[in-house]
Amino acid sequence: MRQFPTAAISKALGGSSSRALPIGAGSANYHSNSQIWWWWQVRDSARTRTTYRRGLGCCLIRPRQRASVDARGIHNHGFDKSEIGNTIYALATAPGRAAIAVVRVSGPGCLNIYSSLCPSRPPPIPRKATLRTIYRPNSPKLEILDPGALILYFPAPNSHTGEDVLELHLHGGPAIIRAVLTSISALSTPQHPIRPAGPGEFTRRAFGNNRLTLPQIEALGDTLSAETEQQRKLSVQAATSGLGDKYELWRRMLLAARGELEAIIDFSEDQQFETSPAEMCGNVVSLVQGLKPLLKLHVDNAMRGELLRSGISLALVGAPNAGKSSLLNRVVGREAAIVSGEAGTTRDVVDLSVDIGGYMVRLADTAGLRKAKLAGEIEKEGMRRAKKRVQDSHVVIAVLSIEETTDNTDGEETPYLSIPNEVLEILREAQTLNKHILIAVNKTDLLHHSLPPSQTLPQHLLGQIKTLIPTLPQTHIHGITCTHSSPDDGIQPLLSSLTKIFAKMTSADNDTSLADGDYDAIGATDRQRRLLEDCIAYLDAFLVRIAGGEDGEADVVVAAEELRFAAGCLAQITGKGEGSGDVEEVLGVVFEKFCVGK
């Protein structure tokens, strides 16, 4: 096993093995170092594969497999050869009655299908809409299926799928659609099969022909499932950010770094390098230390983006009859929760998904919090679930209420703010968990104060809340009334504050200290984030291996394996290169949200 003293590696780094160099400077060495490329050339020309003993057994390095190409220059990328020659078709628009319906066809049989549907007509001009009458194929009396359809033809390889693509823009009557689809299916032969497309199969072929990257396909899936404005923006950003190219660049950098280590392992005893082995190891360490902060930044931003996809969790808490259910109904715009003057009406958590300012929010109305001795067993369970929901939520709105008490001297009703200890306790717990907190003081219509337009609560009530929760910003305290809708009911200012909090939670973090810092990583999916976390773990393991154990010897062989695993994680993100795994299995997961015809 090839080992080197860690002191020599530390010296090569300038005295400290923990000093990180700029990522740009570190990566440039791997493109210009002639020793590395000499090693790759020798290995590719002299051997088809290399085996050597690892600390964990025998490991095999395989030469890069090249994708086969057919006569028209279309890549098959390992797809089942029996499926490559098939022509597929599907309705690309929503089923049912509509003004227009689009039938999409992809594969080598496009022109044959066109000739059968439009007999005696010249071939369509590529990328130019052509008006044609659609006939039933092989009908003796030339039965018309659609008297006026627009035909679009995109020849390979410059099409969405990389194959010949034919689009039929038909009148959207269900009978016309059914007749055309049946006619296309009838043209299938054993020599030239034509079959219905599966979910996402057009996009799958686009990936197989290098028309789309795997991250772009995932962004396309987000586009199809986007329900709110922020989800739409996120999907567009992910589709246009070039994240796949960035991850592929990092993968190649790690492969080049691994190449340096394996050059040392295989050839350092036989060849004279321009750079010492210890210095080469130091260069690799510098590269890894420069890459790790970028990966961590992408992980952090991906978690923010996931809030936009899956929704921000918000919990309404407060005492019984404080107005939580009334506020929920006002926010969603309908009677979603039962409102009653009886305390303890809400016994369980009521979950709803609502669009607030373009953000998907999972809103939860919880059971009222009061002293346990006053509640029954069912209500106690509801309070336990309410506390659990606060722990799991991103944002907490505490609904307090203004109550009235009778003055014994003159019999007048005097309003006061009720803040139960149980509510105060759960708010302080939420603060320790770094939750975003807002206070909504309900029943402000009971107050008899004239307030400035920008103020929804009198100053003494604001001071009362600030005394109990000193760290809560005053902008997070709002007065509302849920009994009737009016311009001064305080609901819109509360929702505006929520929107600002959501924007802060989901905005990408851009570390200006990193040369490659950007906002694109917010478009990374949960699958990509988990693979980036695995990549960071392998890089940490590499630094431990290269630093050596108690004997001060760096285990270069096993360290190179850690780099291989780290590069494999990035390969699984892009679907390219060694370590990408079963791409078909990954695509199967991605295409679960795709519809037929996409």
Side-chain angles (χ1 to χ4, degrees):
M1 183 178 294
R2 195 67 179 169
Q3 296 178 326
F4 297 95
T6 54
I9 299 176
S10 176
K11 182 178 180 181
L13 283 173
S16 174
S17 60
S18 62
R19 183 173 64 90
L21 299 180
I23 193 70
S27 61
N29 297 332
Y30 300 101
H31 295 284
S32 60
N33 193 322
S34 59
Q35 295 288 349
I36 299 174
W37 298 120
W38 169 85
W39 176 74
W40 281 101
Q41 291 167 2
V42 168
R43 199 190 81 174
D44 286 344
S45 61
R47 294 175 292 180
T48 58
R49 68 182 188 179
T50 302
T51 59
Y52 48 88
R53 297 300 301 176
R54 293 292 191 189
L56 302 178
C58 184
C59 215
L60 179 66
I61 298 181
R62 294 180 175 84
R64 181 179 179 182
Q65 297 180 352
R66 301 184 182 276
S68 58
V69 180
D70 69 6
R72 296 185 299 172
I74 300 178
H75 299 266
N76 61 37
H77 284 264
F79 280 75
D80 187 350
K81 292 184 178 180
S82 63
E83 297 290 324
I84 295 174
N86 289 358
T87 298
I88 58 174
Y89 68 93
L91 179 65
T93 50
R97 183 177 289 103
I100 296 173
V102 178
V103 173
R104 177 179 290 170
V105 184
S106 179
C110 286
L111 289 180
N112 290 335
I113 292 174
Y114 168 80
S115 299
S116 300
L117 296 176
C118 306
S120 304
R121 300 296 293 175
I125 300 175
R127 297 172 192 81
K128 184 177 180 180
T130 306
L131 182 63
R132 291 286 186 266
T133 299
I134 304 297
Y135 297 91
R136 188 180 298 278
N138 305 320
S139 60
K141 297 183 180 180
L142 291 180
E143 178 187 351
I144 296 176
L145 300 181
D146 192 334
L150 283 179
I151 306 296
L152 284 170
Y153 173 61
F154 305 91
N158 298 320
S159 68
H160 170 66
T161 62
E163 305 172 329
D164 288 347
V165 172
L166 182 69
E167 288 188 357
L168 310 176
H169 295 239
L170 312 169
H171 289 91
I176 293 178
I177 299 171
R178 186 165 52 250
V180 171
L181 292 176
T182 302
S183 298
I184 294 175
S185 177
L187 296 173
S188 179
T189 64
Q191 295 77 19
H192 303 287
I194 302 172
R195 60 175 177 82
E201 190 167 358
F202 291 95
T203 305
R204 184 189 297 266
R205 293 193 176 196
F207 173 77
N209 291 320
N210 288 332
R211 302 297 295 174
L212 290 175
T213 65
L214 191 53
Q216 285 176 323
I217 292 173
E218 291 180 285
L220 179 60
D222 289 338
T223 301
L224 297 176
S225 60
E227 297 181 3
T228 67
E229 178 65 11
Q230 294 300 327
Q231 289 176 338
R232 181 195 65 80
K233 291 181 178 180
L234 179 69
S235 64
V236 171
Q237 181 176 355
T240 59
S241 63
L243 277 177
D245 295 336
K246 183 167 297 183
Y247 295 147
E248 177 64 12
L249 173 63
W250 292 348
R251 185 185 73 87
R252 291 181 178 274
M253 290 166 60
L254 290 178
L255 288 179
R258 173 190 165 198
E260 280 209 29
L261 296 183
E262 294 189 348
I264 297 172
I265 296 168
D266 287 353
F267 299 108
S268 62
E269 295 179 352
D270 306 325
Q271 304 292 334
Q272 294 296 323
F273 290 96
E274 296 176 358
T275 306
S276 67
E279 187 174 350
M280 292 173 70
C281 288
N283 290 339
V284 175
V285 171
S286 297
L287 171 71
V288 171
Q289 291 176 332
L291 184 58
K292 274 185 57 182
L294 295 177
L295 293 169
K296 290 180 178 178
L297 178 65
H298 275 237
V299 168
D300 292 340
N301 285 340
M303 295 177 67
R304 295 169 182 258
E306 191 60 28
L307 290 177
L308 295 176
R309 289 190 186 88
S310 60
I312 299 171
S313 179
L314 188 153
L316 297 175
V317 298
N321 273 357
K324 301 183 297 301
S325 298
S326 298
L327 177 58
L328 173 73
N329 293 338
R330 289 293 307 276
V331 171
V332 302
R334 60 186 177 88
E335 295 294 326
I338 299 175
V339 177
S340 170
E342 181 182 348
T345 302
T346 303
R347 300 293 184 93
D348 201 355
V349 177
V350 178
D351 286 303
L352 291 171
S353 292
V354 60
D355 183 342
I356 299 180
Y359 296 89
M360 177 61 71
V361 180
R362 292 181 283 112
L363 191 57
D365 181 19
T366 63
L369 302 175
R370 60 176 174 174
K371 294 180 179 179
K373 64 180 181 180
L374 300 177
E377 291 302 320
I378 297 178
E379 192 174 352
K380 287 180 182 178
E381 176 62 20
M383 290 191 290
R384 186 193 67 79
R385 295 187 182 188
K387 295 176 182 179
K388 179 65 168 59
R389 180 53 60 93
V390 169
Q391 296 173 356
D392 297 337
S393 297
H394 304 109
V395 182
V396 177
I397 296 181
V399 182
L400 309 179
S401 65
I402 295 174
E403 306 295 342
E404 289 184 325
T405 183
T406 303
D407 193 336
N408 293 328
T409 57
D410 52 14
E412 292 186 0
E413 298 287 340
T414 303
Y416 70 97
L417 179 61
S418 175
I419 308 179
N421 291 331
E422 292 76 16
V423 176
L424 191 59
E425 178 183 346
I426 203 169
L427 286 180
R428 288 170 176 166
E429 180 183 354
Q431 279 191 313
T432 61
L433 297 174
N434 297 319
K435 308 293 183 182
H436 296 274
I437 299 175
L438 283 89
I439 301 291
V441 180
N442 191 24
K443 306 179 185 178
T444 55
D445 52 305
L446 298 178
L447 298 174
H448 305 291
H449 297 78
S450 58
L451 301 174
S454 59
Q455 190 173 337
T456 58
L457 283 175
Q459 198 62 42
H460 73 279
L461 293 184
L462 292 174
Q464 182 181 350
I465 296 173
K466 289 287 293 180
T467 300
L468 297 174
I469 314 176
T471 58
L472 185 68
Q474 185 167 321
T475 55
H476 287 196
I477 305 173
H478 295 271
I480 63 171
T481 179
C482 298
T483 56
H484 61 279
S485 177
S486 66
D488 57 351
D489 58 11
I491 299 297
Q492 285 305 318
L494 174 65
L495 296 181
S496 297
S497 293
L498 274 177
T499 304
K500 292 178 182 178
I501 291 176
F502 298 157
K504 183 178 179 181
M505 292 171 59
T506 57
S507 60
D509 181 21
N510 190 23
D511 191 343
T512 55
S513 65
L514 301 176
D516 198 29
D518 56 56
Y519 297 96
D520 293 340
I522 196 171
T525 64
D526 182 63
R527 184 189 73 88
Q528 296 168 11
R529 176 186 61 81
R530 286 185 278 106
L531 288 170
L532 290 174
E533 290 176 339
D534 291 343
C535 181
I536 293 173
Y538 285 123
L539 294 182
D540 287 335
F542 160 80
L543 294 175
V544 172
R545 298 288 188 181
I546 206 70
E550 297 179 356
D551 56 358
E553 296 293 331
D555 195 342
V556 180
V557 176
V558 179
E561 276 294 274
E562 302 293 356
L563 288 185
R564 182 172 73 88
F565 293 139
C569 292
L570 298 178
Q572 290 183 60
I573 294 179
T574 61
K576 299 178 181 178
E578 180 186 356
S580 58
D582 190 347
V583 176
E584 286 298 304
E585 182 179 349
V586 174
L587 290 176
V589 175
V590 172
F591 289 134
E592 284 181 351
K593 64 179 73 173
F594 277 60
C595 57
V596 175
K598 191 61 182 175

